Amino acid sequence: MAVSVGEAPGGPGPGPGPLFPDLGGEDAGPNLIESLCMNCLKNGMTRLLLTKIPFFKEIIVSSFTCESCGWVNNEVQSAGKIQEEGVRYTLCVSSKEDLNREVVKADCAMTRIPELDFEIPPFTQKGALSTVEGLIDRAVAGLEQDQPTRKAMDPSVALKIEEFIEKLKKLKDVDMPFTLIIDDPSGNSFIENPHAPQKDEALTITHYKRDAHQDSMLGLQKATEEETHTATLDELRNEVLQFSTNCPECNAPAETNMKLLQIPHFKEVIIMATNCGACGHRTNEVKSGGATEPLGTKITLRITDPSDMTRDLLKSETCTVSIPELEFQLGMGILGGKFTTLEGLLTDMKELIMAKNPFFAGDSSAPEKSGKLREFGQKLDEIIAGRREAHIILKDSAGNSYLQNLYAPDPDPEMKIEKYERTFEDNEELGLNDMKTENYQEQEIDK
């Protein structure tokens, strides 16, 4: 779809408000742009909608229609930033209800169905907001597009593709379970969890570090040695570093402050805080300043008193949080790193699940799902208020999380800290299996 450059017929571009308003907000409205139709080479109309969907950052929805020939072209493009880590979703589709799961697939994501040895490489399809069934229908439509030409040029190949198309269509009957894998190095794809806030046993989410090839595919380049700023720890302890970024809410230019801080009886951490002057959004994140510990750490606290809510807490980006009484688990990488109190962490969890969940309210909500989420929020409120006893478990395979001991230096009777050996899967998630630092020979350099 070709788009001509010029002022939209509906008026000038967005005013001083947010560049990407919330979907359905008062400021949300499409921009009209006269564009060239690539089917009949006459002018048609493109409608561009810049909006924001929770869990998918900012997106651009474009719709082209040509009144001359009736050609229509719709697509979704990601306008958000590339995430720090890639994400891989593995879904076991075992029922027709799984076919209705909503899916956000970025254009750089790879889609694979191992049972059919079927793969859609990255950048071969445009981004889409669809369902699992919609992804299958889209793949079938793509294969059927050139079938008339194949039947005329190479009937044997056309027959094999026809047989494969039938296999794809049979997947929608779900006679046998199959696996859907979406691997997105940009980290901007998403598959719905219909059982939220409980853990989805059929869905596995894996975050990973991109390799050099994936960075190159996304147009990213590593900084050269001359561009990399080096500073000693003494300088960093006494200095607040500042760098430019974009606000995660309105995408306006903002400044992020970074400071190295020593936590008593623990280790050094890096605190990053962003304050947007355009929309007033504030966010902070904590990253560990130390190395990965030799052993993983599991911290179990029995919440018995409202004073437990005042405990200082450091949750690293590699830490999972679970509350067994609520059958709830917060995966690694969600909410990022945080240095807060126990009450602050529970409040952020409630906000993530309810206020920022696109399937809790609006057209995407279902009564049974909304009821479960509302009940979950009430139970969290009871825990925060001290009216319900519960256990909170912080499990960090990197060993970089911390929960304050109110009885220090004596042991805390309500808190248990365990050290454990990481499994191969734990090391794989941390990228340690590919790090080889032993038996390297030092080379002397002649001066």
Side-chain angles (χ1 to χ4, degrees):
M1 176 175 61
V3 178
S4 60
V5 179
E7 184 175 320
L19 183 61
F20 291 86
D22 290 332
L23 187 63
E26 295 181 358
D27 296 331
N31 294 323
L32 304 180
I33 302 175
E34 190 173 356
S35 311
L36 178 66
C37 175
M38 302 307 295
N39 188 45
C40 67
L41 300 182
K42 295 183 180 179
N43 283 343
M45 189 63 66
T46 296
R47 290 170 173 81
L48 291 179
L49 177 63
L50 281 65
T51 187
K52 179 175 59 179
I53 297 179
F55 297 108
F56 191 47
K57 310 300 179 184
E58 299 86 5
I59 65 170
I60 300 174
V61 182
S62 62
S63 175
F64 174 82
T65 56
C66 178
E67 295 183 356
S68 299
C69 65
W71 190 54
V72 177
N73 184 20
N74 303 314
E75 64 177 281
V76 175
Q77 297 179 0
S78 174
K81 65 179 182 180
I82 296 175
Q83 305 303 308
E84 294 184 1
E85 295 181 321
V87 65
R88 182 184 302 108
Y89 289 88
T90 303
L91 173 66
C92 179
V93 181
S94 57
S95 66
K96 291 193 175 182
E97 286 75 15
D98 289 331
L99 296 177
N100 295 326
R101 292 178 184 245
E102 297 201 24
V103 177
V104 174
K105 176 186 172 297
D107 54 359
C108 59
M110 180 272 294
T111 306
R112 188 157 58 93
I113 302 177
E115 286 80 2
L116 297 184
D117 197 18
F118 176 67
E119 179 178 316
I120 302 175
F123 298 108
T124 57
Q125 284 186 345
K126 297 175 182 178
L129 176 60
S130 183
T131 62
V132 174
E133 183 177 5
L135 290 183
I136 296 175
D137 289 338
R138 198 178 184 195
V140 169
L143 291 174
E144 289 179 339
Q145 183 176 0
D146 296 328
Q147 275 297 85
T149 304
R150 293 192 191 100
K151 290 179 180 179
M153 302 295 295
D154 196 337
S156 60
V157 173
L159 180 59
K160 293 180 180 178
I161 293 179
E162 191 68 34
E163 293 174 354
F164 188 82
I165 290 175
E166 292 302 319
K167 293 181 181 179
L168 276 177
K169 291 180 178 179
K170 287 182 180 179
L171 290 180
K172 296 192 293 182
D173 297 331
V174 200
D175 295 331
M176 294 289 291
F178 66 92
T179 305
L180 174 67
I181 300 175
I182 296 181
D183 191 334
D184 184 4
S186 74
N188 283 328
S189 292
F190 172 77
I191 295 182
E192 177 194 3
N193 172 10
H195 308 291
Q198 278 76 35
K199 182 180 179 181
D200 191 343
E201 299 296 337
L203 181 64
T204 302
I205 306 174
T206 306
H207 296 269
Y208 60 88
K209 294 290 185 181
R210 287 186 292 268
D211 56 28
H213 173 71
Q214 290 170 327
D215 282 335
S216 176
M217 181 179 67
L218 296 175
L220 301 178
Q221 290 183 342
K222 294 184 178 180
T224 62
E225 293 183 359
E226 293 78 9
E227 296 170 339
T228 305
H229 174 69
T230 58
T232 64
L233 282 177
D234 291 336
E235 293 173 341
L236 290 175
R237 288 191 184 98
N238 301 319
E239 182 180 1
V240 177
L241 301 179
Q242 191 176 72
F243 56 91
S244 300
T245 183
N246 287 347
C247 173
E249 287 294 324
C250 67
N251 212 33
E255 297 292 334
T256 295
N257 296 322
M258 184 171 65
K259 182 74 167 65
L260 192 64
L261 180 67
Q262 174 70 44
I263 297 181
H265 309 294
F266 191 55
K267 59 174 64 176
E268 288 179 324
V269 297
I270 300 172
I271 297 181
M272 295 187 296
T274 303
N275 185 11
C276 177
C279 68
H281 175 73
R282 295 183 179 183
T283 182
N284 64 79
E285 187 175 358
V286 176
K287 293 186 178 294
S288 173
T292 300
E293 296 294 321
L295 298 174
T297 302
K298 180 181 179 181
I299 305 173
T300 304
L301 173 67
R302 180 170 173 258
I303 303 173
T304 58
D305 191 84
S307 62
D308 288 327
M309 294 294 109
T310 64
R311 293 176 183 255
D312 289 332
L313 180 146
L314 172 65
K315 173 196 171 297
S316 76
E317 61 272 16
T318 58
C319 178
T320 62
V321 182
S322 58
I323 304 176
E325 288 79 2
L326 303 186
E327 298 182 357
F328 172 78
Q329 179 172 330
L330 187 72
M332 183 178 75
I334 302 177
L335 284 181
K338 283 189 173 293
F339 183 39
T340 179
T341 62
L342 182 56
E343 180 180 1
L345 177 65
L346 295 178
T347 302
D348 289 341
M349 287 163 44
K350 179 183 175 183
E351 181 182 359
L352 174 70
I353 294 171
M354 302 186 69
K356 297 182 179 180
N357 194 332
F359 307 110
F360 179 71
D363 295 339
S364 300
S365 65
E368 61 275 10
K369 295 180 184 178
S370 300
K372 291 181 180 178
L373 290 174
R374 193 173 293 106
E375 181 183 356
F376 176 81
Q378 293 173 353
K379 292 179 180 179
L380 265 185
D381 288 335
E382 293 175 359
I383 293 176
I384 294 174
R387 298 194 301 270
R388 174 188 288 264
E389 290 192 3
H391 291 79
I392 185 166
I393 302 175
L394 306 177
K395 187 175 181 182
D396 188 354
S397 55
N400 288 328
S401 293
Y402 161 83
L403 185 60
Q404 182 184 12
N405 176 6
L406 297 179
Y407 298 84
D410 297 325
D412 192 327
E414 303 298 339
M415 186 168 67
K416 181 180 180 182
I417 302 178
E418 304 173 74
K419 299 290 184 178
Y420 64 92
E421 293 282 348
R422 284 188 292 267
T423 64
F424 178 86
E425 289 75 15
D426 292 334
N427 288 329
E428 187 71 17
E429 288 183 343
L430 296 175
L432 298 179
N433 291 331
D434 298 325
M435 293 184 184
K436 304 298 180 183
T437 59
E438 298 83 9
N439 301 325
Y440 275 87
Q441 296 180 353
E442 296 183 357
Q443 296 181 355
E444 296 184 357
I445 301 176
D446 296 333
K447 296 184 179 180

